[in-house]
């Protein structure tokens, strides 16, 4: 799957970065600063393009605080089979330059696919779409599922 993403700070609006300074890190000395979003964070969040606006929403429903699936991911097969239809999922794009799975950071060229659903109070939550892992991804991360990439496979 993908338990975290990172984006170069230079690719994000300054006002988004200023509100998330606790997420800014350097991968290596001399590298550009990046903003990291991890599912294990106290309040997991993901950036996404919703409509024509870049925003940040809660990532799934880790703690079961709302009546939504208690996860951060949605299997593409489940979505296509209609198992999420009662939540009226909206497709979104999750900008990402790097992904994290089982301690392995991997390059993401164009971003990831996700969905936004609303909880019983109308609050938006983003779920990352997953699919069966390619052979390469499974060897690289030792995981049988991978995120759905925009415009490419790895």
């Amino acid at each position: 799957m993908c338990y975290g993403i990172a984006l170069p700070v230079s690719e994000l609006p300054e006002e988004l970065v200023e509100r998330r300074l606790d997420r800014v890190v350097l991968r290596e000395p001399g590298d550009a600063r990046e903003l990291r979003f991890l599912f294990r964070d106290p309040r997991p969040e993901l950036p996404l393009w919703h409509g024509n606006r870049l925003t940040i929403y809660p990532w799934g429903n880790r703690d079961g605080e709302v009546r939504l699936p208690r996860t951060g991911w949605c299997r593409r097969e489940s979505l296509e089979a209609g198992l999420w239809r009662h939540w009226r999922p909206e497709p979104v794009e999750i900008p990402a330059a790097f992904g994290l799975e089982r301690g392995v950071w991997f390059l993401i060229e164009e971003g990831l696919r996700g969905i936004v659903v609303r909880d019983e109070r109308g609050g938006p939550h983003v779920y990352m779409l997953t699919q069966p892992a390619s052979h390469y991804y499974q060897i690289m991360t030792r995981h049988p599922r991978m995120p759905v990439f925009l415009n490419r496979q790895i």
Side-chain angles (χ1 to χ4, degrees), residues 38-81:
L38 305 173
F39 192 67
R40 70 173 183 242
D41 287 338
R43 286 185 10 248
E45 301 175 308
L46 280 175
L48 63 135
W49 287 101
H50 196 195
N52 291 328
R53 198 177 112 213
L54 182 62
T55 189
I56 296 175
Y57 286 162
W59 184 352
N61 181 26
R62 187 182 67 195
D63 299 322
E65 295 175 359
V66 295
R67 288 189 214 124
L68 290 173
R70 198 169 178 177
T71 181
W73 301 269
C74 170
R75 290 175 175 248
R76 181 162 61 177
E77 309 91 289
S78 297
L79 183 67
E80 291 171 351

Side-chain angles (χ1 to χ4, degrees), residues 3-144:
Y3 282 85
I5 64 164
L7 281 164
V9 167
S10 60
E11 294 182 17
L12 295 166
E14 194 173 311
E15 63 273 5
L16 277 181
V17 174
E18 287 175 3
R19 290 184 287 155
R20 304 292 189 297
L21 287 176
D22 59 324
R23 296 180 182 274
V24 176
V25 297
L26 283 176
R27 183 175 301 274
E28 298 285 333
D31 280 354
R33 296 179 313 147
E34 57 187 36
L35 206 56
R36 286 193 181 164
F37 298 88
L38 305 173
F39 192 67
R40 70 173 183 242
D41 287 338
R43 286 185 10 248
E45 301 175 308
L46 280 175
L48 63 135
W49 287 101
H50 196 195
N52 291 328
R53 198 177 112 213
L54 182 62
T55 189
I56 296 175
Y57 286 162
W59 184 352
N61 181 26
R62 187 182 67 195
D63 299 322
E65 295 175 359
V66 295
R67 288 189 214 124
L68 290 173
R70 198 169 178 177
T71 181
W73 301 269
C74 170
R75 290 175 175 248
R76 181 162 61 177
E77 309 91 289
S78 297
L79 183 67
E80 291 171 351
L83 300 178
W84 287 69
R85 71 177 162 268
H86 54 284
W87 286 295
R88 296 185 183 102
E90 301 172 51
V92 294
E93 294 182 1
I94 301 167
F98 296 95
L100 175 66
E101 176 58 48
R102 295 191 178 181
V104 175
W105 283 99
F106 55 91
L107 183 64
I108 298 174
E109 291 180 5
E110 295 189 36
L112 306 172
R113 296 202 181 277
I115 59 169
V116 166
V117 297
R118 305 237 172 228
D119 63 32
E120 64 275 11
R121 297 181 298 260
H125 295 256
V126 62
Y127 287 79
M128 190 181 294
L129 284 180
T130 68
Q131 62 189 351
S134 67
H135 179 70
Y136 176 78
Y137 188 90
Q138 200 163 7
I139 296 297
M140 178 178 63
T141 66
R142 301 172 318 281
H143 201 285

